[in-house]
């Protein structure tokens, strides 16, 4: 496999660099992110098909603000500047960047000039774009045509077609900019002259090559949780190094109906992965007996998981050859863990699959640059079971935090039945992909009076908590059709003994969290 010439996305410290790289991939063009501290000679040594300068938090005039080395523009490589990158580019080429006091943040109308250049040609003359700037370019460098302006940015976009260079003050990579992807694509295809040939299969090839290089002949371990991230990460690693990989699946008994089987049978059948299953159901239930406090439950589950996984890992590693641990870290996890300072601890999120502290492994994280939907596409490409690829996010501590009250086998069985019904009806209505996740919660410590048959019942309520979300940081309750809710309610009260009432949670996040515990 030969790696194609990359489009380099130069990261000036924006949260958006990965998003730009992802948009470039969506345009079927290979891209790599490089830090702005990389010397231009080193960037050019990568033989880039184009360079995109990302946004960044600094003012170009601030002391120590990252600058663009004018040498970048003499090599004949097409360059696209975005936001900070646009200003840094303008400055390096002799244009003027000024502090006019006209800040623009958020959705802003953009006026394209009548010819609009290549990027804006034939797009609506009045476009909503996403801005985030204090300084602005007041004069374009020689050779550039100004193609758009906004109230706060007299030069909001410019192009120098002969030099194959362009720039925009706004963020074409974010969804709030209308036609943003179109503009980026036009830069790549029409200004830089790049052919769209990069596909998800290329991502697989590239990762496989990287993993082989990293791992060599050593052995690798991976904890499967049943979720899509660890499943795809392991499948990629398996494709790269085959039986050098051993997966461990700790069955803590807190998964939903059919999920343990999915890992043990369907996943293994689809991938041929070597899997060690540890049946730790009794151990977890024992440790959880009588515990009602949610944080206590999480601590116990986190602690037990580490103990069990550690023991399994030591067995697998008994001959000493295991040096690597696979983790299904995604790009949003990287951003969150880097930027999460100063936030209150709402819930301690133990990701089952975490690293035992004293087992020293090097990490293999083949999904670190990808977003969830890209990971799903990879999973399908790798032939993983659809149900696994499209599984909704599910908390590591599983059903234990969806039983309000103490956890026992009987309550788990009740909740599994109710949850399965909700999932079946959501699927039957064709709504799986409209909902972010759909917790079903058993209020095990609450009873209410009902009438079933000719008699009085005194059973437990079940809560339906379907939510819509982009990233689980905020969420809204999903407006599921009433007939779907009615069907779920009827089936649960008919089919699950002990449950005589179904309620719908209509709380957004905030103030509610997605899970009840
Ligand atoms: P909350 O309930 O905080 O959940 O709104 C946000 C997202 O995180 C999931 N979640 C967890 N995931 N361990 C996990 O791995 C946990 O302890 C945990 N608690 C909540 C939740 O399902 C939602 O997707």
């Amino acid at each position: 496999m030969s790696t194609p010439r990359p489009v380099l996305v130069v990261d000036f410290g924006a949260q958006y660099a990965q998003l730009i790289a992802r948009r470039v991939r969506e345009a079927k063009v290979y891209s790599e992110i490089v830090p702005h501290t990389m010397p231009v000679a080193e960037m050019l040594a990568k033989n880039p098909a184009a360079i995109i300068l990302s946004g960044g938090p600094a003012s170009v005039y601030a002391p120590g603000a990252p600058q663009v080395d004018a040498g970048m523009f003499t090599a004949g490589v097409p360059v696209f500047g975005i936001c900070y990158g646009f200003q840094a580019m303008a400055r390096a080429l002799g244009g003027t960047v000024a502090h006019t006091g006209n800040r623009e943040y958020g959705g802003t109308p953009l006026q394209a000039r009548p010819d609009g250049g290549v990027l804006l040609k034939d797009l609506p003359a009045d476009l909503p774009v996403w801005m985030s700037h204090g300084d602005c370019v007041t004069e374009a460098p020689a050779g550039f045509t100004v193609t758009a302006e906004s109230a706060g940015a007299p030069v909001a976009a410019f192009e120098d077609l002969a030099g194959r260079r362009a720039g925009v003050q706004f963020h074409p990579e974010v969804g709030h900019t209308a036609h943003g992807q179109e503009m980026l694509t036009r830069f790549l295809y029409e200004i830089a002259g790049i052919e769209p040939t990069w596909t998800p299969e290329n991502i697989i090839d590239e990762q496989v090559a990287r993993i082989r290089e990293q791992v060599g002949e050593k052995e690798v371990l991976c904890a499967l949780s049943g979720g899509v991230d660890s499943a795809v990460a392991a499948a990629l690693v398996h494709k790269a190094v085959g039986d050098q990989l051993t997966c461990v699946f700790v069955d803590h008994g807190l998964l939903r109906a059919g999920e343990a089987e999915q890992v043990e049978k369907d996943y293994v059948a689809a991938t041929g992965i070597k899997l060690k299953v540890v049946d730790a159901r009794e151990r977890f239930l024992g440790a959880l007996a009588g515990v009602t406090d949610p944080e206590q439950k999480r601590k116990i589950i986190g602690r037990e998981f580490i103990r069990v996984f550690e023991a399994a890992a030591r067995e697998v590693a008994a001959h000493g050859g295991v040096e690597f641990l696979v983790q299904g870290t995604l790009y949003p996890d990287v951003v969150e863990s880097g930027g999460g300072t100063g936030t209150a601890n709402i819930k301690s999120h133990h990701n089952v699959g975490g690293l035992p502290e004293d087992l020293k492994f090097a990490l293999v994280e083949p999904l670190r640059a990808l977003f969830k939907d890209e990971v799903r596409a990879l999973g399908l490409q790798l032939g993983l079971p659809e149900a696994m690829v499209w599984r909704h996010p599910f908390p590591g501590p599983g059903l234990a935090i969806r039983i309000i009250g103490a956890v026992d086998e009987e309550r788990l069985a009740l909740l599994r039945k109710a949850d399965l019904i909700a999932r079946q009806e959501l699927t039957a209505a064709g709504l799986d992909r409209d909902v972010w996740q759909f917790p079903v919660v058993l209020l095990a410590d609450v009873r209410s009076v009902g009438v079933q048959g000719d008699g009085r019942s005194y059973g437990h309520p079940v809560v339906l908590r379907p939510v819509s979300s982009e990233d689980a940081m905020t969420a809204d309750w999903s407006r599921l059709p009433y007939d779907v809710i009615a069907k779920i309610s009827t089936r649960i009260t008919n089919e699950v003994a002990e449950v005589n009432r179904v309620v719908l949670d209509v709380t957004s996040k905030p103030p509610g969290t997605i899970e009840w515990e």
Side-chain angles (χ1 to χ4, degrees):
M1 181 207 69
S2 69
T3 307
R5 294 176 65 196
V7 167
L8 296 183
V9 176
V10 181
D11 184 357
F12 281 107
Q15 293 206 344
Y16 290 130
Q18 276 292 352
L19 193 53
I20 297 171
R22 180 232 163 96
R23 298 291 180 226
V24 175
R25 293 198 292 268
E26 278 176 15
K28 300 194 169 58
V29 172
Y30 176 63
S31 74
E32 276 178 24
I33 296 176
V34 295
H36 67 82
T37 46
M38 179 183 277
V40 166
E42 213 175 301
M43 293 183 197
L44 296 178
K46 288 175 172 283
N47 192 19
I51 294 177
I52 299 180
L53 307 172
S54 86
S59 157
V60 268
Y61 287 118
Q67 304 295 334
V68 172
D69 178 344
M72 181 182 291
F73 303 103
T74 53
V77 178
V79 179
F80 187 35
I82 293 175
C83 193
Y84 182 85
F86 168 68
Q87 297 178 1
M89 172 179 182
R91 192 165 182 228
L93 288 165
T96 313
V97 181
H99 206 70
T100 58
N102 286 336
R103 296 155 167 273
E104 286 175 306
Y105 294 102
T108 308
L110 179 83
Q111 281 86 43
R113 296 266 169 96
D115 69 354
V118 169
L119 296 190
L120 299 166
K121 188 164 174 263
D122 297 333
L123 296 183
D126 233 337
L127 273 183
V129 299
W130 194 255
M131 290 277 197
S132 180
H133 68 105
D135 300 343
C136 63
V137 176
T138 51
E139 218 178 303
F144 281 77
T145 309
V146 178
T147 55
E149 62 205 295
S150 69
V155 180
F158 58 39
E159 294 178 12
D160 162 23
L161 293 181
R164 299 198 295 168
R165 299 179 287 206
V168 293
Q169 178 59 65
F170 51 90
H171 289 277
E173 72 277 18
V174 306
H176 307 286
T177 293
H179 300 282
Q181 181 67 11
E182 170 88 44
M183 298 173 205
L184 196 61
T185 304
R186 288 182 185 184
F187 167 75
L188 296 169
Y189 300 171
E190 296 178 37
I191 297 182
I194 300 169
E195 298 277 332
T197 53
W198 178 251
T199 63
E201 296 93 85
N202 300 133
I203 298 188
I204 294 178
D205 290 346
E206 198 226 355
Q207 283 305 330
V208 162
R210 264 177 207 231
I211 294 164
R212 284 195 185 132
E213 193 183 342
Q214 184 188 4
V215 166
E217 302 292 308
K218 302 290 185 203
E219 284 182 46
V220 192
L221 195 65
C222 179
L224 291 177
S225 67
V228 58
D229 304 344
S230 59
V232 173
L236 262 178
V237 173
H238 183 256
K239 196 169 168 67
V241 298
D243 276 352
Q244 283 164 253
L245 171 71
T246 305
C247 287
V248 174
F249 171 57
V250 176
D251 184 358
H252 56 17
L254 305 168
L255 288 181
R256 294 174 295 180
E259 288 186 319
E261 294 76 9
Q262 212 171 63
V263 177
E264 292 169 23
K265 301 211 175 73
D266 305 348
Y267 182 70
V268 170
T271 57
I273 272 175
K274 209 162 48 171
L275 178 69
K276 180 179 176 66
V277 178
V278 186
D279 180 355
R281 289 177 293 178
E282 273 185 25
R283 176 179 181 144
F284 277 85
L285 270 192
L288 285 168
V291 178
T292 54
D293 177 68
E295 281 302 279
Q296 200 60 32
K297 288 180 185 171
R298 280 195 170 75
K299 287 207 173 75
I300 290 171
I301 292 166
R303 182 194 70 207
E304 292 303 313
F305 179 83
I306 286 187
R307 286 187 184 157
V308 174
F309 180 69
E310 198 169 12
R314 287 197 198 288
E315 270 178 43
V316 173
H319 54 283
V322 181
E323 286 189 12
F324 294 94
L325 184 78
V326 182
Q327 294 217 309
T329 319
L330 306 193
Y331 181 64
D333 308 331
V334 178
V335 172
E336 246 168 59
S337 47
T341 49
T343 52
N345 186 16
I346 310 293
K347 296 176 186 179
S348 50
H349 281 197
H350 293 291
N351 259 316
V352 168
L355 181 66
E357 270 165 20
D358 66 327
L359 276 184
K360 297 277 178 259
F361 293 117
L363 295 183
V364 180
E365 299 181 296
L367 311 179
R368 247 184 108 81
L370 302 181
F371 290 79
K372 194 89 171 181
D373 53 331
E374 294 182 301
V375 170
R376 290 205 161 110
L378 273 193
L380 291 175
Q381 202 74 42
L382 289 162
L384 302 192
E386 287 240 351
M388 207 164 192
V389 168
W390 286 106
R391 189 173 92 146
H392 287 164
F394 184 69
L399 297 179
I401 56 164
R402 292 184 179 172
I403 292 175
I404 312 305
V407 178
D408 63 33
E409 193 45 74
E410 212 175 313
R411 291 173 166 188
L412 282 167
L414 279 188
L415 181 52
R416 271 197 200 101
K417 271 195 199 163
D419 173 84
L420 182 62
I421 291 170
R423 283 194 286 149
Q424 284 171 340
E425 293 303 329
L426 193 72
T427 305
L431 294 172
D432 283 342
R433 296 183 198 177
D434 295 336
V435 168
W436 167 264
Q437 68 187 114
F438 188 174
V440 175
V441 181
L442 176 67
L443 304 187
D445 284 351
V446 176
R447 281 180 185 274
S448 76
V449 175
V451 51
Q452 278 170 310
D454 288 327
R456 174 188 192 268
S457 68
Y458 193 47
H460 300 293
V462 150
V463 180
L464 307 180
R465 174 77 169 133
V467 292
S468 312
S469 177
E470 295 276 323
D471 53 8
M473 304 294 280
T474 59
D476 197 5
W477 58 281
S478 304
R479 272 57 164 183
L480 291 186
Y482 281 166
D483 53 344
V484 176
I485 294 171
K487 187 105 186 270
I488 294 172
S489 167
T490 308
R491 279 196 58 196
I492 290 180
T493 45
N494 281 348
E495 296 172 34
V496 188
E498 295 285 324
V499 174
N500 63 349
R501 202 176 284 271
V502 174
V503 303
L504 179 65
D505 185 345
V506 291
T507 320
S508 60
K509 171 183 178 175
T513 52
I514 294 175
E515 306 289 348
W516 270 47
E517 291 203 326

